[in-house]
Amino acid sequence: MEIEIILYLCFFAFLAGFIDSIVGGGGLIQLPALLVFLPGLPLPVAFGTGKFAGIAGTTAAMVRYVRTVKINYLAILPAAGAAFVFSFLGARALAHIDASLMKPLILVLLVLVAVYTFIKKDFGSLHAPKLTEQKERLYGLLVGASIGFYDGFFGPGTGSFLIFIFIGLFGFNFLAASAASKVVNVATNLSALLYFAYKGFVLYEVAIPMAVCSIIGSQLGTRTALNRGVGFVRVLFLVVVSGIILKFAYDTYGSGGSDFAQLATAVQQWFGRKG
């Protein structure tokens, strides 16, 4: 393995950790980087290696948020537990469902998320939980199950969807929503990583240095978010969601470039052989 390639991958892992720690979307940076710089890498190994690096940064961000931001564990822990289980089920569903069919729907949802956040200027500016304890637990389970299944099945934009839901449904502000999303994201990533690691689909000589850089990026990202406040996170959220929209639109209606539908189809075929 050439040191130059590892350095490039470490840079993108750092960048992914930085962005993901604030508003999610790190997977849209890290996975394509692995496929570009290691073109002969089997797809399951690319996913496993990316998950190893990604969960390191997400966990580091979660720890820092937990120490600084008050997290409503009554709602978040049930969500994380459900997400852990349904992330694995979502991965297994790849063998039976065409993931490319989801792309137009996800594109529409992302556009609605961006438009609503842009128009509603006070969205996520105040932390004002609006659910009863019973509803928080129930909605936490439902959110964890649905987002966990989506992350295991398809994945792109999971962190951004979580932040939007925790703001719109639970009444969190952007910082509290970012912190909560990290707890759930760690659960979904851990579920997938355990499977990939068990099957031997983690390239550790690449994953370990990438994980270190992801941690550094996530630490810088969470520090930036905490210091700059809700307004900064809101702007970055809109930027990242807009980038995801452009990516989805190009993959769906454009030509050329890397396509998450093609990635999902390849994973479907692989799970079909292994299942």
Side-chain angles (χ1 to χ4, degrees), residues 21-271:
S21 67
I22 306 174
V23 291
L28 292 170
I29 299 172
Q30 193 160 256
L31 181 59
L34 281 164
L35 296 175
V36 167
F37 290 102
L38 298 174
L41 195 67
L43 189 60
V45 179
F47 271 86
T49 302
K51 286 294 183 184
F52 185 95
I55 196 173
T58 304
T59 303
M62 180 191 71
V63 171
R64 190 173 183 89
Y65 276 123
V66 165
R67 292 176 176 175
T68 311
V69 179
K70 184 178 180 180
I71 296 178
N72 183 0
Y73 292 103
L74 187 67
I76 303 310
L77 291 182
F84 180 88
V85 174
F86 278 82
S87 178
F88 180 82
L89 296 178
R92 296 305 299 169
L94 281 169
H96 309 288
I97 304 173
D98 184 2
S100 64
L101 298 176
M102 294 183 62
K103 185 169 290 187
L105 173 61
I106 300 304
L107 179 60
V108 171
L109 291 176
L110 284 168
V111 170
L112 293 176
V113 166
V115 170
Y116 184 85
T117 305
F118 180 79
I119 293 176
K120 194 171 177 59
K121 302 298 183 182
D122 60 344
F123 184 72
S125 61
L126 298 176
H127 186 67
K130 53 189 179 183
L131 300 176
T132 63
E133 291 185 359
Q134 184 177 4
K135 285 187 176 181
E136 283 182 337
R137 286 193 294 268
L138 175 60
Y139 289 178
L141 287 170
L142 294 175
V143 168
S146 56
I147 294 296
F149 186 89
Y150 171 76
D151 193 31
F153 178 72
F154 199 53
T158 296
S160 300
F161 277 130
L162 280 170
I163 290 173
F164 183 81
I165 291 172
F166 282 129
I167 294 173
L169 184 61
F170 288 80
F172 296 175
N173 64 19
F174 267 105
L175 283 178
S178 294
S181 71
K182 295 299 166 290
V183 178
V184 178
N185 241 166
V186 166
T188 61
N189 287 338
L190 179 60
S191 179
L193 178 59
L194 288 175
Y195 181 83
F196 285 119
Y198 174 74
K199 292 292 186 178
F201 296 127
V202 178
L203 192 64
Y204 290 102
E205 59 265 38
V206 175
I208 291 175
M210 287 182 68
V212 172
C213 292
S214 180
I215 291 172
I216 296 172
S218 72
Q219 290 295 291
L220 181 60
T222 51
R223 180 186 302 177
T224 302
L226 293 170
N227 290 340
R228 299 290 295 273
V230 170
F232 169 78
V233 178
R234 180 181 185 274
V235 172
L236 187 59
F237 177 82
L238 283 169
V239 171
V240 170
V241 170
S242 298
I244 297 173
I245 289 170
L246 292 175
K247 169 65 178 171
F248 267 68
Y250 181 74
D251 284 349
T252 305
Y253 303 109
S255 59
S258 61
D259 192 337
F260 273 107
Q262 296 173 4
L263 293 180
T265 300
V267 174
Q268 287 174 6
Q269 296 171 350
W270 175 75
F271 270 108

